[in-house]
């Protein structure tokens, strides 16, 4: 079974997708983390973020993989980049990297290969449209920008970072705009999307909603 979860930044996709996967005994794949890992490596290598050829070559040669122990860890070749990919300099650059059609073509293929070996829950922006067009369920999680900014601040606070609310709100709005307006793999609601507005729902309520939809078949 394939379950796609798309939606804008901070809508709670990764928290929910991980729990849905746990509940169903499926593998969870965070495609945002994959674009972040690629961006981290591109910044490390000093690649110009407008150079789609260089970025595509890196996407092609880089071995991005997950390891699941107590928590899920992500690696670029043999470097564990789980923490680094959440840093503001990566967050600020990732949508530029993800906008290149050539880069997306390679990343989508990698994601499809990962998805082909198990029942999975995959979250991102273009999963329902490009990566898993035949997914059994396509969820679109959204929430007000205020709630999304607030959640992101809480998440970073738990990691020891104090962020400014207005700045985070602007950053999320800018990233959503880039993600919705790019020519390939844009974030959008599909005809067969099941939309869930999580603004006033707890994580458990969203989880229960999704699981009951899946169990009903
Ligand atoms: O966790 P957050 O909502 O901040 O974003 P993410 O899921 O980690 O994704 C980071 C960025 O990667 C997004 O803003 C998109 O630009 C890009 N992305 C994408 O283009 N396609 C995907 N399938 C997943 C992420």
């Amino acid at each position: 079974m394939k379950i796609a979860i798309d939606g804008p930044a901070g809508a709670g996709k990764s928290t929910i997708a991980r729990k849905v996967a746990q509940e169903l005994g499926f593998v969870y794949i965070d495609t945002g983390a994959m674009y972040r890992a690629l961006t981290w490596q591109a910044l490390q290598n000093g690649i110009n973020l407008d150079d789609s050829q260089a970025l595509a070559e890196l996407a092609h040669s880089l071995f991005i993989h997950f390891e699941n122990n107590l928590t899920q860890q992500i690696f670029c070749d043999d470097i564990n980049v789980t923490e680094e990919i959440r840093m503001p300099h990566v967050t600020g650059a990732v949508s530029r990297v993800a906008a290149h059609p050539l880069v997306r073509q390679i990343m989508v293929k990698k994601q499809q290969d990962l998805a082909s070996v198990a029942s999975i829950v995959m979250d991102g922006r273009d999963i329902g449209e490009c990566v898993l067009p035949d997914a059994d369920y396509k969820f679109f999680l959204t929430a007000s920008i205020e709630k999304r900014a607030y959640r992101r601040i809480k998440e970073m606070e738990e990691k020891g970072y104090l962020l400014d609310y207005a700045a985070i709100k602007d950053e999320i709005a800018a990233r959503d705009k880039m993600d919705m307006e790019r020519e390939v793999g844009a974030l959008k609601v599909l005809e067969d999307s099941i939309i869930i507005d999580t603004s006033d729902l707890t994580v458990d309520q969203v989880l229960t909603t999704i699981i009951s939809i899946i169990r009903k078949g």
Side-chain angles (χ1 to χ4, degrees):
M1 192 186 275
K2 313 283 178 213
I3 297 168
I5 303 185
D6 289 306
K13 294 183 305 293
S14 45
T15 308
I16 297 296
R18 184 174 296 113
K19 285 180 182 279
V20 171
Q22 251 168 21
E23 182 79 20
L24 300 173
F26 291 4
V27 172
Y28 165 52
I29 299 167
D30 178 351
T31 63
M34 295 175 74
Y35 283 99
R36 285 171 176 274
L38 173 65
T39 302
W40 177 84
Q41 189 68 64
L43 293 170
Q44 264 324 86
N45 296 7
I47 293 175
N48 176 346
L49 301 187
D50 295 322
D51 186 343
S52 60
Q53 199 60 47
L55 288 169
E57 273 166 33
L58 179 66
H60 187 71
S61 61
L62 189 63
F63 178 45
I64 298 172
H65 62 113
F66 293 97
E67 277 184 21
N68 293 294
N69 295 318
L70 280 180
T71 58
Q72 189 170 66
Q73 307 282 305
I74 183 163
F75 293 78
C76 282
D77 294 322
D78 53 0
I79 306 171
N80 186 333
V81 294
T82 311
E83 294 294 321
E84 280 81 352
I85 62 166
R86 306 284 160 198
M87 295 297 116
H89 70 291
V90 176
T91 304
V94 61
S95 292
R96 270 177 77 193
V97 171
H100 296 284
L102 263 183
V103 169
R104 300 199 72 81
Q105 202 183 322
I106 296 163
M107 297 299 277
V108 165
K109 175 74 175 60
K110 283 183 196 254
Q111 290 155 8
Q112 288 171 335
D113 288 347
L114 287 173
S116 66
V117 295
S119 281
I120 54 146
V121 180
M122 190 175 256
D123 78 333
R125 303 293 186 286
D126 61 337
I127 309 307
E129 187 190 29
C130 303
V131 185
L132 304 173
D134 298 329
D136 299 274
Y137 295 92
K138 298 179 184 178
F139 292 98
F140 189 95
L141 292 196
T142 187
S144 68
I145 183 127
E146 288 78 17
K147 282 279 164 68
R148 293 190 284 122
Y150 174 75
R151 286 176 189 161
R152 185 47 49 92
I153 291 202
K154 293 291 269 184
E155 179 189 332
M156 291 304 276
E157 236 175 54
E158 280 160 23
K159 293 183 180 165
Y161 299 94
L162 287 181
L163 302 178
D164 176 64
Y165 176 78
I168 288 295
K169 208 168 133 189
D170 287 351
E171 180 262 304
I172 287 181
R175 204 142 56 87
D176 283 353
K177 186 166 161 29
M178 281 192 78
D179 289 344
M180 289 188 289
E181 291 180 354
R182 67 178 165 235
E183 43 178 303
V184 175
L187 170 68
K188 59 164 94 74
V189 174
L190 306 171
E191 245 177 46
D192 48 354
S193 298
I194 302 165
I195 303 172
I196 302 177
D197 186 331
T198 71
S199 301
D200 298 315
L201 299 178
T202 63
V203 168
D204 275 349
Q205 286 171 325
V206 180
L207 181 65
T208 309
T209 306
I210 291 182
I211 296 290
S212 69
I213 291 171
I214 295 170
R215 293 228 160 105
K216 258 190 229 143

